[in-house]
Amino acid sequence: DPCRNFHCKRGKVCRVDKQGKPSCICQDPAACPSTKEYEHVCGTDNKTYDGTCQLFGTKCQLEGTKMGRQLHLDYMGSCKYIPHCTDYEVDQFPLRMRDWLKNILVQYYERDLDTSGFLTEKQRSKVKKIYQNDKRLVAGDHPVELLLHDFEKNYHMYVYPVHWQFHQLDQHPVDRSLTHSELAPLRASLVPMEHCITRFFQECDGDQDKLIALKEWCHCFGIKE
């Protein structure tokens, strides 16, 4: 099968022509496999799509048009009302995000105690120090004042989780800066719960070059140089 190892970008599928040569053509959105409701996604056109196959197939068919350029995955789940993010809320966002990242790493470490595979050896040794620290603020819905106090008192526990998340996202290519598409997996999954994440990332890009450098990322999370 000439299509077996022939890679097409999202929204396109491989087809073999009469000469037996593989090429990429737009996915027909109507031919996408049916999805469950939890697999629905919301596009930046504020329309709910049955899944990413349908969204990217539609984007491909609009290639070369203004609508096609503007259509992206906005967030996971059906479209809903996302409230406006206030200045006060965007200031609070890094407090919750830092705490969340720290707790994710601790969860991965706990799972690795039974079955390894979530973290590398180097990552495990870094998270072990956080996990074993008896001053660690345990996971919970903490008031902003407590999160701020803990960050100031136990600053060293938050540095690695912030760096870790950056390097998890910095994959295509690995170049110490994040593009819109590299940020998309994190953004798209968090928008319904954290409506300030879009504005937060926009404001993180200090020089407005459409890339978030490691330095900008750390600055946004209050990590010193």
Side-chain angles (χ1 to χ4, degrees), residues 33-173:
S34 60
T35 57
K36 304 276 193 298
E37 194 161 323
Y38 63 80
E39 293 173 296
H40 290 179
V41 296
C42 185
T44 44
D45 55 355
N46 206 31
K47 275 170 61 177
T48 297
Y49 293 83
D50 284 351
T52 51
C53 171
Q54 199 181 80
L55 170 69
F56 288 107
T58 304
K59 180 177 171 65
C60 181
Q61 291 188 333
L62 294 168
E63 211 167 281
T65 66
K66 188 181 176 185
M67 276 178 72
R69 283 191 298 275
Q70 290 177 343
L71 180 59
H72 300 286
L73 168 64
D74 198 7
Y75 53 87
M76 311 305 279
S78 301
C79 294
K80 63 178 191 175
Y81 170 69
I82 304 289
H84 173 71
C85 173
T86 65
D87 293 348
Y88 175 76
E89 286 173 319
V90 85
D91 287 344
Q92 311 297 313
F93 178 80
L95 299 176
R96 292 193 303 277
M97 186 78 172
R98 281 187 307 238
D99 188 56
W100 182 68
L101 292 174
K102 182 193 69 185
N103 289 324
I104 280 181
L105 277 174
V106 167
Q107 269 188 347
Y108 281 170
Y109 181 82
E110 286 175 330
R111 286 187 204 170
D112 270 6
L113 294 175
D114 300 323
T115 52
S116 62
F118 287 101
L119 301 171
T120 64
E121 270 311 305
K122 192 177 175 185
Q123 289 171 338
R124 279 173 59 77
S125 67
K126 297 232 182 215
V127 182
K128 186 178 183 179
K129 290 173 190 164
I130 301 171
Y131 180 75
Q132 291 182 336
N133 195 318
D134 57 0
K135 291 180 184 164
R136 175 169 60 87
L137 185 65
V138 293
D141 193 11
H142 303 298
V144 165
E145 294 75 23
L146 181 57
L147 292 175
L148 185 59
H149 174 71
D150 193 61
F151 179 63
E152 289 167 355
K153 201 175 73 171
N154 297 307
Y155 169 82
H156 60 283
M157 285 196 215
Y158 292 91
V159 178
Y160 182 67
V162 169
H163 279 146
W164 169 79
Q165 179 65 85
F166 182 91
H167 292 296
Q168 289 293 107
L169 296 168
D170 182 24
Q171 298 292 336
H172 309 289

Side-chain angles (χ1 to χ4, degrees), residues 12-29:
K12 297 197 172 191
V13 287
C14 180
R15 285 283 186 279
V16 180
D17 63 17
K18 287 174 184 171
Q19 284 77 42
K21 282 188 175 176
S23 65
C24 294
I25 63 162
C26 284
Q27 164 76 51
D28 175 8

Side-chain angles (χ1 to χ4, degrees), residues 166 169-170 175-180 182-183 186-187 197-221:
F166 182 91
L169 296 168
D170 182 24
D175 58 359
R176 294 171 76 84
S177 63
L178 301 178
T179 61
H180 173 86
E182 284 176 317
L183 279 169
L186 180 68
R187 236 198 97 263
I197 194 165
T198 303
R199 182 177 160 187
F200 175 75
F201 285 147
Q202 284 167 350
E203 293 180 7
C204 261
D205 181 15
D207 56 8
Q208 298 294 298
D209 66 347
K210 302 263 194 293
L211 296 168
I212 297 181
L214 178 58
K215 205 170 181 177
E216 290 174 320
W217 175 271
C218 288
H219 176 72
C220 279
F221 284 104

